[in-house]
Amino acid sequence: MAETADVLAELGPWQRRLRAQFPIIVAHPELAYLDSAATAQKPRAVLDAVQHYLATSNANAGRGSYPWANATTAALERARDRVKEFLGDPAPDRSSVHFTGGTSEGLRTVARDWLAGLLTDGDEIVVPFADHEANLAPWLELRQLLERQGTKIRVRELPYQAGSGDYDPAALAAAVGPRTRFVAATHVHHVYGVDMNVHRIRRVVGPDVPICLDAAQSVGHLPFSVAGLDVDFVVFSGHKAMALPGTGAVWARGRRGPRFRPGGWAGTPNTVGIVSLAAALDWLDAAGTDRIEAWTVALAARLTDGLSRLDAYEVLGCRSSLAAGSEVQRRRSLVTFRHREIPSRDLGFILYGHGFMVRSDGHCQAGAQEADGSVRVSLHVHNTSEEIERLVDTLSNLQ
């Protein structure tokens, strides 16, 4: 516990300054918002950037020669450059950024507009079957689409380690063969909160197989570097990174396979959402994603440590990482658990009655049934150690 307490004490003044920048959090001190994995709250700087854009230069992009239209076009180009910079793009002149409505749309765009044209009869792709539904459904839909066109491909399951929820690179080696053409993976699991160690996938599949990464729970929550990951696509949602809803991005490396060019007519983009995304990335960089990660990991460790002492609760994911002093990889801002007797949906309602806003359902996990529901606490920089202590006390009283 000492290391966790030291992190929280050292970063406390910094965290209090940032918490004060969230109007909705400041306006409701009686509530603890613990659902940032579903959507993140917005700091004042993002709200101000949106208002400034709408009040000074709101226009369509790429469709006018007057100053407002030119300013909007320039803002969108800056946002593309900003995404590349935020992701640590080592070759921005070669890569591309396509704005979408979010992660789900982005993954479908990669499947439909890029991967579909590369696959032939007998090819195989490897995808996760127990991550977010958004990182399974597009690849299964692609298989159906190709079958209707007379092409049969095989969709193989990305294997997991028993008990931890992490990917299993040893088992993956047996699933990869000469017809493997593509791998989809997740950076941080949206239920277990674990970094899925995607760099190990590259070592298994070799240098030529494209990898598409669902980064919905990592962009905006921890330092991010595509240079270190060696993936070909990074897809994320803006609203989980403190931007407005309805915006997201596909970053495409442009090194393996043809250049990524989304199909169809490019209609009017979500200009205000894209402006908010650039502002959110600016704010996150100024705050320091390394410190955001340290803060939320410490809070999650405090929560798992408290839950590990309560017999009425089962924490999902790797149980070896529950104690605050564990040397096992810490959970990245996400802790998901069940009460052994109280249904999770009921527990969610009970917790709201005590001032805690959590998610309590199946969390859109692929393959999950209604009986698999659980309570997910997802943290961000505005959350406090006092909120976690109060939550543990409340859960203790419910034993």
Side-chain angles (χ1 to χ4, degrees):
M1 286 289 287
E3 181 180 350
T4 297
D6 290 345
V7 170
L8 295 174
E10 178 184 351
L11 294 179
W14 162 85
Q15 187 272 341
R16 287 189 288 274
R17 289 194 301 272
L18 296 188
R19 177 181 169 89
Q21 297 178 34
F22 290 83
I24 195 171
I25 300 297
V26 173
H28 297 282
E30 76 285 1
L31 298 175
Y33 183 76
L34 302 172
D35 199 20
S36 291
T39 195
Q41 298 301 337
K42 321 307 176 192
R44 171 59 65 186
V46 172
L47 303 178
D48 288 346
V50 168
Q51 184 176 22
H52 177 77
Y53 165 73
L54 291 174
T56 62
S57 57
N58 178 39
N60 213 330
R63 290 167 171 81
S65 57
Y66 53 91
W68 292 358
N70 293 338
T72 297
T73 301
L76 267 57
E77 289 306 313
R78 175 189 177 272
R80 286 191 176 89
D81 293 339
R82 195 67 188 86
V83 169
K84 294 180 182 182
E85 182 182 13
F86 191 83
L87 298 181
D89 189 341
D93 293 339
R94 183 169 185 170
S95 64
S96 62
V97 171
H98 171 66
F99 293 114
T100 70
T103 303
S104 299
E105 180 186 333
L107 292 169
R108 276 194 169 89
T109 301
V110 174
R112 181 184 63 245
D113 296 337
W114 188 82
L115 182 57
L118 302 182
L119 299 177
T120 60
D121 216 46
D123 283 344
E124 299 180 350
I125 63 174
V126 182
V127 305
F129 276 54
D131 295 357
H132 198 285
E133 186 75 28
N135 205 13
L136 174 62
W139 319 117
L140 299 181
E141 292 168 359
L142 173 62
R143 180 177 63 184
Q144 294 174 348
L145 171 65
L146 292 176
E147 283 181 354
R148 290 195 295 268
Q149 297 173 352
T151 299
K152 292 186 177 181
I153 66 168
R154 183 176 183 183
V155 179
R156 299 180 67 103
E157 180 177 357
L158 186 57
Y160 301 83
Q161 293 177 343
S164 71
D166 198 358
Y167 297 135
D168 187 338
L172 174 61
V176 172
R179 299 302 300 270
T180 301
R181 299 290 182 259
F182 180 84
V183 175
T186 299
H187 194 192
V188 172
H189 200 280
H190 74 294
V191 175
Y192 308 125
V194 64
D195 183 331
M196 302 298 279
N197 292 299
V198 177
H199 62 279
R200 299 188 303 190
I201 294 178
R202 171 57 66 200
R203 292 202 293 265
V204 174
V205 303
D208 301 323
V209 176
I211 298 175
C212 178
L213 188 64
D214 174 353
Q217 299 299 344
S218 54
V219 171
H221 294 266
L222 48 83
F224 198 103
S225 171
V226 292
L229 291 171
D230 193 15
V231 296
D232 299 273
F233 296 93
V234 173
V235 188
F236 67 95
S237 298
H239 73 98
K240 297 180 190 292
M242 299 188 178
L244 294 185
T247 187
V250 176
W251 171 88
R253 184 183 294 275
R255 193 173 75 189
R256 299 176 180 95
R259 188 169 181 83
F260 176 61
R261 290 185 175 88
W265 175 258
T268 298
N270 179 8
T271 55
V272 68
I274 297 168
V275 166
S276 77
L277 177 58
L281 299 184
D282 288 343
W283 189 91
L284 288 163
D285 262 347
T289 51
D290 55 341
R291 288 178 290 181
I292 291 174
E293 179 188 31
W295 180 261
T296 56
V297 167
L299 291 182
R302 179 160 288 188
L303 176 56
T304 56
D305 186 74
L307 286 169
S308 69
R309 304 170 194 275
L310 304 178
D311 294 336
Y313 297 91
E314 172 197 6
V315 181
L316 305 189
C318 179
R319 296 198 56 81
S320 300
S321 67
L322 298 187
S326 170
E327 296 181 359
V328 176
Q329 178 184 208
R330 304 305 325 180
R331 294 163 195 248
R332 264 59 185 170
S333 75
L334 289 164
V335 179
T336 306
F337 58 91
R338 297 188 185 103
H339 194 285
R340 301 189 189 279
E341 295 183 8
I342 303 174
S344 294
R345 286 187 179 274
D346 293 347
L347 183 55
F349 283 115
I350 293 170
L351 288 176
Y352 179 72
H354 290 271
F356 302 102
M357 292 180 282
V358 299
R359 180 162 176 178
S360 53
D361 55 26
H363 317 297
C364 300
Q365 184 175 13
Q369 307 297 319
E370 186 173 350
D372 298 326
S374 54
V375 171
R376 184 181 69 185
V377 170
S378 49
L379 305 157
H380 221 306
V381 68
H382 51 71
N383 293 118
T384 66
S385 56
E386 290 78 14
E387 290 173 341
I388 298 304
E389 291 166 5
R390 187 162 59 87
L391 175 60
V392 172
D393 288 343
T394 300
L395 293 171
S396 177
N397 292 332
L398 293 174
Q399 286 204 96

